[in-house]
């Protein structure tokens, strides 16, 4: 603004126009931008291309959005990056929540195609852009945004108590929990995953803006690297350097048995699932100084190959009964893999879809990082049972701390012409 | 280039741009109508308005461009547009009927208005072509455009308000100078907190002045720099001047030195210079709208964070003054704006009410400036709530410039 010297206090001045004051040399530049906007409008927003960008190879991956059996971002092969954001509803009426879910659905559908949700440079100098623009030209990047509904949506505020999904509640306090209020709960959540970090970020940023006046942000975690794999992907590693998710659910049969909801009394949740999010802080510095043999005992797997201590290949089935010459189990009973294995938990499996996170350094100069654990299951009690065991006995607890937690009901995917959880408002 | 020549060339360019926009919108079919006369059913002409995203462009389409005088029912359905969530029927900038919260997936909604012959416009904010002409044939009635008049008297009233605030700032800074010159720390602290609001209420209007003889980038001649610069943004070539330099002495060192006295005297002089410049300002309605929006931006960026008053912690005093200044600008637009968009006007009134109710909790007549000290504990516990409340109001205020600018 301070781009031009003005003759102040000139008695003969007919009056200094406030508008002229704001424009000046900068005004011409602003007008130039509008011309650019018009040119953009002439071509419409053709599907963006990321040619030449670092993530060009994945730019054109587009997952279909409407008329799918389930929401994306669950069975979808994990993308490289994620942003999870939870919200508190501040709306005073059910109608506001309905409009938000409808607007979110339409916006997600559009961003999934790699398109902005409005003109980032609208015509007219006073117009305010609808889309913030930082994902322009990056492409779709396999974006998925998964919408979850927290227990608070079904409390007394919106008259939706009678439609509450049967198993949706606050998770109970679990052994070793060190939850912090600022990373816990939420009435709604969005989990955006994409092969370009800025595409995932853009989705959450613009959807959060849509929520203004209806919901406020509660907590968020940005995942910079996937820590779980789909059937065609190599098992990635968590920040402790170990492969994570080797025995994860990948087959349709397992998804059908352990993830998707069916025959629900709340029939609108059929095809949906439950999402457990846990922010797990890792004590990076102490872990890094732990000797390799102990690290492998903690996990029950080898570090390089990721093989169970009783086998040679990553996908060898662990043998929990095999004992050493001294008579001890080769895979310690308190190792992470032994406590979490379905063989030792009545067959229970959950689908994990976690991401590594880092948030800089903490107040004493230590690395603030860990795992955004995200898991999908058709009964939250499956997670509760597993984590009760792990929280009580896992040798890994010396190096990790569960600091955030939330449970959400995830409805099925929306149909064309409708929106997520539309049945709530019938 | 002198100012008037610059203004002319800007206007010419703007006209050329507007033309280009019209042409490109036609070329892409940014908005379209069938051109036929609306059919009549249930005693009313039936016009459907469809909102859609076509190949990345948001379009607003009318089933008919004309209708006969009498009741007209507009049925609006958002098929797939994420950018358009509102449709209005306008006559001479007045809203005759409107529907909001139009999201894809929700059912069609309608409104019926009785129209006399004449030219109307369907306004779809967010569409590539926002305005679509709609003609009603038959008996014509004159529509008085009282919007322009209401806005014109509003900007005059606001100009007087700004002038008054800056004039009052002179006596407030003179009181500060008197206390500082007397070496009265407690009195000076009190006077400091009392002087701050005058600047904070109007800072979006007065923050761009450069003194004669100085270049645009020379902070030594930038009155806002000289009056209101914070420690975090100092220009080493110019050093620290103004309110916050005095604040540091009064609240951190808690001593009045020769330098404190010089800084305060200089501040009082610069406020007088500001007063002289402010008197020559004229405004357009959109300046009031943008100014109000900018004041809330100030609240979000500098007050809720506690950066503005790092030593005195009277951030809530500044916060309340920014909100008050924004509310004044809005109030002067309100008589015109309510004719343009009654529901938005009502919403903003409610949102100002919500922010003020929140602020009332912190009032304390015994505290400096009338508000409790903004401690880091308050910031941690209440900052997010204050921020969310201001954010909702800010989002609404940001939309009014476009509405009043065309009036």
């Amino acid at each position: 603004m301070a781009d031009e010297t003005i003759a102040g206090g000139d008695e003969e001045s007919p009056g200094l126009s406030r508008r002229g004051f704001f424009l000046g040399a900068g005004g011409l530049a602003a007008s130039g931008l509008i011309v650019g906007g018009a040119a953009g409008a002439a071509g419409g927003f053709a599907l963006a291309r990321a040619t030449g960008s670092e993530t060009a190879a994945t730019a054109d991956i587009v997952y279909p959005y409407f008329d799918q059996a389930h929401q994306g971002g669950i069975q979808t092969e994990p993308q490289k990056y994620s942003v999870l954001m939870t919200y508190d509803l501040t709306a005073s009426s059910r109608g506001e929540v309905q409009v938000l879910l409808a607007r979110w659905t339409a916006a997600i559908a559009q961003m999934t195609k790699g398109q902005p949700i409005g003109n980032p440079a609208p015509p007219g100098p006073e117009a305010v852009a609808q889309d913030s623009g930082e994902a322009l030209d990056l492409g779709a990047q396999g974006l998925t945004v998964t919408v979850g509904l927290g227990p608070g949506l079904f409390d007394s505020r919106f008259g939706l108590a009678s439609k509450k999904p049967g198993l949706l509640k606050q998770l109970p306090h679990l052994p070793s929990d060190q939850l912090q209020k600022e990373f816990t709960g939420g009435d709604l959540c969005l989990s955006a995953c994409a092969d370009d970090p800025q595409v995932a970020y853009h989705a959450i940023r613009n959807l959060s803006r849509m929520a203004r006046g209806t919901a406020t942000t509660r907590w968020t975690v940005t995942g910079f690297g996937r820590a779980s794999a789909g059937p065609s992907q190599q098992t990635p590693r968590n920040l402790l350097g170990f492969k994570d998710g080797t025995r994860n659910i990948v087959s349709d049969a397992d998804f059908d048995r352990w993830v998707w909801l069916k025959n629900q009394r709340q029939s609108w949740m059929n095809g949906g699932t439950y999402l457990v999010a846990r922010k797990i802080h890792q004590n990076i510095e102490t872990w890094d100084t732990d000797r390799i043999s102990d690290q492998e005992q903690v996990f029950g797997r080898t570090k390089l190959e990721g093989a169970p201590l009783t086998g040679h290949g990553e996908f060898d089935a662990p043998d929990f009964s095999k004992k050493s010459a001294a008579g001890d189990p080769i895979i310690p009973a308190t190792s992470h893999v032994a406590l979490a294995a379905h063989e030792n938990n009545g067959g229970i499996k959950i689908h994990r879809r976690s991401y590594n996170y880092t948030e800089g350094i903490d107040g004493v100069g230590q690395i603030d990082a860990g795992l955004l654990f995200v898991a999908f299951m058709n009964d939250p009690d499956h997670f509760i049972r597993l984590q009760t065991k792990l929280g009580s006995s896992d040798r890994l607890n010396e190096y990790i701390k569960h600091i955030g937690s939330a449970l959400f009901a995830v409805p099925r995917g929306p149909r064309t012409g409708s929106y997520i959880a539309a049945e709530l408002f019938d | 280039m002198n100012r008037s020549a610059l203004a002319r060339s800007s206007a010419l360019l703007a006209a050329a741009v507007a033309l280009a926009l019209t042409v490109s919108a036609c070329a892409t079919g940014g908005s379209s109508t069938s051109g036929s006369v609306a059919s009549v059913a249930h005693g009313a002409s039936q016009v459907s308005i469809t909102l859609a995203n076509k190949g990345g462009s948001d379009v607003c389409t009318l089933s008919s461009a004309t209708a006969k005088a009498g009741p007209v029912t507009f049925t609006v359905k958002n098929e797939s547009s994420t950018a358009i969530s509102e449709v209005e029927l306008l006559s001479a900038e007045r809203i005759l009927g409107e529907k909001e919260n139009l999201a894809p997936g929700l059912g069609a909604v309608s409104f019926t208005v009785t129209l006399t012959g004449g030219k109307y416009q369907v306004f779809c904010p967010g569409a590539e072509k926002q305005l679509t002409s709609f003609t009603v044939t038959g008996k014509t009635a004159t529509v008085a455009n009282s919007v322009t008049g209401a806005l014109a008297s509003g900007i005059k009233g606001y100009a007087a308000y700004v002038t008054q605030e800056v004039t009052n700032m002179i006596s407030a800074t003179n009181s500060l100078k008197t206390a500082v010159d007397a070496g009265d720390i407690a009195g000076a602290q009190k006077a400091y907190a009392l002087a701050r609001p005058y600047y904070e209420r109007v800072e979006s209007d007065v923050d761009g002045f450069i003194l004669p003889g100085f270049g645009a980038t020379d902070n030594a001649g930038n009155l806002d720099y000289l009056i209101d610069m914070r420690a975090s943004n100092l220009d080493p070539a110019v050093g620290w001047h103004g309110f916050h330099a005095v604040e540091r002495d009064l609240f951190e060192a808690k001593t009045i030195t020769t330098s404190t006295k010089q800084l305060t005297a200089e501040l009082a002089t610069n406020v007088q210079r500001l007063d002289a410049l402010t008197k020559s300002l004229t405004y357009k309605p959109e300046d009031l709208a943008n100014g109000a929006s900018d004041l809330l931006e100030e609240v979000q960026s500098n007050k809720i964070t506690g950066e503005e008053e790092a030593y005195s912690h009277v951030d809530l005093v500044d916060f309340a003054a920014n909100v008050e200044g924004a509310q004044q600008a809005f109030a002067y637009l309100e008589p015109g704006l309510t004719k343009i968009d009654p529901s938005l006007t009502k919403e903003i009134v409610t949102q100002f009410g919500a922010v003020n109710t929140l602020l009332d909790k912190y009032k304390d007549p015994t505290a400096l400036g009338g508000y409790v000290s903004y401690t880091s504990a308050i910031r941690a516990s209440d900052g997010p709530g204050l921020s969310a409340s201001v954010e909702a109001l800010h989002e609404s205020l940001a939309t009014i410039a476009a509405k009043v600018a065309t009036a």
Side-chain angles (χ1 to χ4, degrees):
Chain A
M1 261 185 310
D3 50 16
E4 202 182 348
T5 304
I6 56 165
D10 180 354
E11 293 292 318
E12 289 175 12
S13 163
L16 179 59
S17 157
R18 186 67 193 147
R19 167 177 270 180
F21 183 49
F22 273 114
L23 289 173
L28 289 169
S31 300
L33 283 176
I34 298 158
V35 176
F45 291 102
L47 194 64
R49 295 262 175 263
T51 43
S53 90
E54 288 168 25
T55 53
T58 47
D60 291 336
I61 298 177
V62 176
Y63 289 112
Y65 186 65
F66 286 110
D67 305 313
Q68 305 301 304
H70 315 290
Q71 285 197 60
I74 304 169
Q75 199 169 355
T76 313
E77 289 222 302
Q79 302 93 323
K80 291 180 200 138
Y81 308 96
S82 85
V83 182
L84 178 118
M85 180 85 87
T86 79
Y87 301 85
D88 289 329
L89 281 162
T90 55
S92 51
S93 73
R94 179 160 57 178
E96 290 170 61
V97 182
Q98 180 184 18
V99 168
L100 178 63
L101 288 170
R103 294 190 70 197
W104 270 1
T105 301
I108 292 166
Q110 192 141 315
M111 292 188 288
T112 299
K113 290 187 280 186
Q115 294 177 347
I117 55 165
N119 190 342
E126 312 293 345
V128 176
Q130 306 251 354
D131 185 287
S132 54
E134 74 271 29
L136 286 176
D137 309 329
L138 291 177
Q141 299 288 354
L143 174 71
T144 57
V145 183
T146 314
V147 180
L149 313 174
L153 177 62
F154 301 94
D155 63 20
S156 59
R157 287 174 291 169
F158 308 107
L160 294 171
S162 66
K163 305 220 174 174
K164 184 171 180 168
L167 303 173
L168 182 63
K169 58 185 178 193
Q170 300 293 353
L171 290 172
H173 176 85
L174 298 171
S176 299
D177 270 2
Q178 296 183 58
L179 303 184
Q180 298 175 18
K181 213 176 104 202
E182 62 269 33
F183 308 128
T184 299
D187 295 334
L188 297 172
C189 88
L190 295 174
S191 169
C193 302
D195 286 324
D196 182 287
Q198 196 147 308
V199 167
Y201 175 83
H202 167 265
I204 294 296
R205 172 182 177 184
N206 283 271
L207 294 168
S208 297
R209 183 178 176 201
M210 259 179 195
R212 286 183 197 170
T214 306
T216 53
T217 53
R218 184 174 175 90
W219 61 282
T220 187
V221 178
T222 299
F224 72 84
R226 70 167 160 247
S228 63
S232 71
Q233 296 171 326
Q234 274 197 341
T235 313
R237 293 176 188 271
N238 56 36
L239 296 184
L240 304 181
F242 278 75
K243 290 181 180 174
D244 206 322
T246 294
R247 307 188 84 200
N248 204 5
I249 288 181
V250 289
S251 72
D252 286 349
D254 268 346
F255 268 92
D256 200 51
R257 169 70 184 83
W258 298 107
V259 177
W260 305 126
L261 293 166
K262 49 200 162 216
N263 305 319
Q264 297 289 296
R265 195 172 66 79
Q266 299 289 355
S267 59
W268 65 276
M269 276 299 292
N270 288 337
T273 183
Y274 290 95
L275 183 165
V276 168
R278 305 279 284 186
K279 185 175 185 181
I280 305 174
H281 174 84
Q282 296 168 337
N283 301 330
I284 298 285
E285 283 81 359
T286 53
W287 175 259
D288 287 349
T289 55
D290 190 32
R291 61 196 182 281
I292 186 67
S293 59
D294 190 64
Q295 290 189 344
E296 293 188 334
Q297 295 275 307
V298 165
F299 272 98
R301 289 185 176 277
T302 62
K303 195 161 190 179
L304 292 181
E305 172 60 26
L309 297 181
T310 53
H312 299 289
E314 182 192 348
F315 295 100
D316 290 352
D319 181 353
F320 298 111
S321 62
K322 200 169 177 181
K323 296 202 165 59
S324 68
D328 298 319
I330 291 177
I331 299 175
T334 52
S335 67
H336 192 69
V337 70
L339 290 165
H342 59 84
E343 292 90 338
N344 301 333
N345 287 287
I348 289 177
K349 294 178 184 176
I350 58 177
H351 175 59
R352 286 161 290 156
R353 211 172 181 286
S354 305
Y355 285 85
N356 299 321
Y357 78 81
T358 180
E359 297 180 347
I361 52 174
D362 67 13
V364 291
Q366 303 228 316
I367 290 171
D368 188 352
L371 185 75
L372 172 65
F373 172 91
V374 174
F376 296 93
M377 65 215 69
N378 52 21
D379 184 347
D381 193 51
H382 296 164
F383 170 78
I384 293 171
R385 284 166 64 183
L386 290 173
Q387 183 54 31
T388 300
K389 262 178 85 173
L390 288 163
S392 306
S393 316
D394 193 354
R395 292 182 60 170
L396 189 55
N397 291 339
E398 196 183 328
Y399 301 101
I400 64 169
K401 195 163 70 175
H402 286 236
I403 56 173
S405 175
L407 175 65
F408 300 96
V410 178
R412 65 169 168 246
R415 301 195 179 94
T416 298
S418 185
Y419 56 95
I420 300 253
E423 297 88 341
L424 286 179
F425 308 96
D426 287 344
Chain B
M1 193 183 287
N2 69 34
R3 177 161 294 274
S4 56
L6 182 65
R8 271 198 305 279
S9 63
S10 293
L12 280 172
L13 184 56
V17 168
L19 188 65
L21 279 174
T22 313
V23 171
S24 69
C26 290
T28 55
S31 168
S32 61
T33 57
S34 75
S36 64
V37 179
S39 59
V40 177
H42 314 296
S45 295
Q46 301 292 322
V47 178
S48 50
I49 302 175
T50 307
L51 315 179
N53 185 278
K54 291 184 179 166
S57 273
D58 292 282
V59 295
C60 178
T61 312
L62 274 64
S63 60
S64 306
T66 58
K68 287 179 181 151
V72 183
T73 299
F74 293 90
T75 303
V76 193
K77 175 85 175 97
N78 188 343
E79 295 287 355
S80 58
S81 173
T82 50
I84 314 169
S85 63
E86 185 181 355
V87 167
E88 298 169 355
L89 177 72
L90 305 177
S91 167
E93 311 304 343
R94 281 187 314 142
I95 294 178
L96 303 178
E98 67 176 322
K99 282 291 165 189
E100 294 179 327
N101 294 320
L102 303 164
L106 301 180
V109 288
S110 61
F111 62 96
T112 302
V113 282
T114 300
L115 303 176
T116 56
K119 297 278 184 196
Y120 298 84
Q121 287 175 310
V122 173
F123 179 50
C124 300
E128 280 307 309
K129 186 188 168 197
Q130 303 198 114
L131 289 168
T132 306
S133 300
F134 184 73
T135 307
V136 174
T137 56
K139 196 173 167 231
T140 315
T142 34
V143 182
N145 185 358
S146 50
V147 174
T148 317
L151 290 175
S153 63
I155 58 179
K156 272 187 210 145
Y158 182 71
Y161 166 74
V162 175
T163 308
Q164 188 60 51
E165 286 302 305
V166 179
T167 304
N168 289 341
M169 204 189 310
I170 295 177
S171 43
T173 44
N174 283 340
S175 302
L176 174 62
K177 183 175 178 297
T178 307
V180 166
D181 286 344
D184 175 7
I185 276 276
Q189 288 183 342
K190 217 168 168 178
Y192 173 84
L194 291 175
R196 290 292 298 151
Y198 295 106
Y199 196 79
E200 295 294 321
R201 286 185 199 115
V202 298
E203 67 175 317
S204 62
D205 297 304
V206 299
D207 64 4
F209 287 116
I210 308 292
L211 292 171
F214 287 90
T217 57
D218 186 354
N219 284 321
N222 178 327
L223 268 187
D224 183 46
Y225 182 97
L226 295 174
I227 293 174
D228 196 36
M229 192 41 58
R230 296 182 304 279
S232 52
N233 298 62
L234 289 187
D235 177 346
V238 182
W240 205 1
H241 303 262
F243 274 119
H244 296 298
V246 176
E247 179 199 3
R248 175 199 48 186
D249 289 0
L250 296 182
F251 292 90
E252 190 187 43
K254 294 193 177 72
T255 47
I256 292 171
T257 62
T258 316
S259 155
T260 316
K261 289 178 184 172
Q262 278 168 359
L263 284 168
T264 312
E266 179 196 64
L267 171 66
T269 307
N270 281 328
V271 167
Q272 284 174 21
R273 288 172 164 162
L274 183 68
D275 182 54
L277 289 168
T278 307
K279 287 194 172 83
S280 68
L281 277 181
T282 63
Y283 303 83
K284 299 224 171 227
E286 55 268 39
D287 298 332
L288 275 61
N290 288 328
S293 187
D294 290 348
L295 285 175
L296 291 188
E297 205 169 296
E298 278 284 330
V299 172
Q300 287 286 35
S301 313
N302 299 328
K303 276 68 175 193
I304 288 177
T305 57
E307 281 172 32
E308 181 84 27
E309 303 285 357
Y311 308 103
S312 65
H313 304 301
V314 297
D315 300 275
L316 289 171
V317 176
D318 294 359
F319 185 150
N322 281 154
V323 170
E324 190 184 328
Q327 195 166 8
Q328 284 293 326
F330 169 74
Y332 282 107
L333 289 176
E334 196 179 341
L337 186 64
T338 196
K339 289 183 166 65
I340 297 171
D341 193 339
S343 67
L344 174 65
T345 309
K346 217 173 125 193
E347 186 185 349
I348 294 176
V349 169
T350 309
Q351 287 168 333
F352 266 118
V355 172
N356 283 326
T357 304
L358 263 186
L359 272 175
D360 283 348
K361 287 199 313 188
Y362 304 99
K363 274 190 178 163
D364 177 0
T366 64
L368 273 182
Y371 284 87
V372 298
S373 179
Y374 193 54
T375 58
S376 54
I378 292 184
R379 185 168 75 233
S381 61
D382 299 11
L386 288 165
S387 178
S389 175
V390 170
E391 197 173 69
L393 171 62
H394 192 192
E395 194 77 26
S396 302
L397 270 182
T399 64
I400 68 177
K403 294 189 182 245
V404 298
T406 49

